[in-house]
Amino acid sequence: LIALGYLSGKADGNYGGKTAAAVKAFQKANNLTVDGVAGSATLDRLESAAAKKKISVQTAAVPDATPVPAVTGTAFKSPTAAEVRFADWYNEIRTQAKLMPDAIIYDYKTGLHYNVHMFSFGKHCDAEPITASDTAIMYQIMGMENWDPHAVWVILSDGKVYMASTHSHGHQVDIIAGNNLEGHICIHFPRTLSDEEKETMPYALSHQQEILRGWEETQAMIK
């Protein structure tokens, strides 16, 4: 894990939290079952020539939070409120996000945007800013290490724009080095929570509430 860039420091023989997080990051990057357990399949891949190294992005110091070019390779054009889609995560967005994992998060209030790479697609999407510049812009919009849900528009590489909610607090699995963020962020898209989820997952519920609030703002911008 150290040689492949998933873990820093020296080997100490302890399977602690950092090691478990590194194993999960390795498993995600190598299309293995993500459980944090170094089972036979994980160990076989670790010891094979096919093992994928951790993504590393080399960036220079960031003097300010000037927006960077869009990941699509074209000049960025701000979307309009009329373009934004309120679509279900399970029925539409998740499939598209898996095919187009590099996206743009657009803050419709400030007009700022930053690039992210999405890499996990469960009940919500895990993602990371791609460069240090992207992280700086994210912090400019929401502040550093902020868990509060924040309504945004997410632009996929095919140009479709979706209503979503995110935050700026890096946590747990970290797959991109050099972006000045330890861990990853979450991007929540519209989905229906069961009564049990509403009771046991208050943070997920707060993101859905923020999405609805942001959608109302978005619709008001059209009129």
Side-chain angles (χ1 to χ4, degrees), residues 93-222:
I93 304 173
R94 183 164 65 169
T95 299
Q96 298 303 309
K98 288 179 179 179
L99 296 173
M100 296 171 282
D102 290 333
I104 297 170
I105 292 182
Y106 179 76
D107 183 60
Y108 56 88
K109 288 189 175 180
T110 64
L112 295 174
H113 69 279
Y114 55 98
N115 304 307
V116 295
H117 176 75
M118 301 178 287
F119 62 89
S120 180
F121 308 92
K123 293 183 178 180
H124 62 263
C125 174
D126 292 341
E128 286 194 45
I130 295 177
T131 70
S133 294
D134 294 310
T135 299
I137 296 166
M138 178 180 73
Y139 286 158
Q140 183 177 345
I141 295 168
M142 289 174 278
M144 294 183 66
E145 303 299 321
N146 186 0
W147 278 113
D148 292 343
H150 186 89
V152 293
W153 301 345
V154 175
I155 311 168
L156 299 186
S157 58
D158 64 354
K160 287 188 175 69
V161 187
Y162 292 100
M163 195 73 228
S165 175
T166 188
H167 61 86
S168 67
H169 198 294
H171 62 291
Q172 297 181 350
V173 175
D174 184 1
I175 68 166
I176 299 180
N179 64 354
N180 286 350
L181 180 75
E182 289 295 326
H184 67 273
I185 60 170
C186 303
I187 306 174
H188 292 252
F189 293 93
R191 72 179 183 91
T192 301
L193 273 64
S194 66
D195 290 339
E196 182 180 357
E197 286 177 323
K198 291 177 182 178
E199 290 290 331
T200 61
M201 301 171 62
Y203 187 60
L205 178 60
S206 69
H207 273 287
Q208 292 303 314
Q209 293 169 336
E210 176 66 2
I211 289 170
L212 292 174
R213 189 196 66 78
W215 180 243
E216 290 180 357
E217 286 186 339
T218 299
Q219 293 304 291
M221 293 167 64
I222 299 174

Side-chain angles (χ1 to χ4, degrees), residues 48-91:
S48 75
K52 293 182 180 179
K53 294 183 178 180
K54 183 176 180 179
I55 299 172
S56 179
V57 178
Q58 300 297 324
T59 58
V62 182
D64 54 40
T66 302
V68 294
V71 294
T72 54
T74 60
F76 180 76
K77 180 181 179 181
S78 300
T80 65
E83 297 176 71
V84 183
R85 302 158 65 94
F86 191 93
D88 184 78
W89 168 241
Y90 292 124
N91 294 336

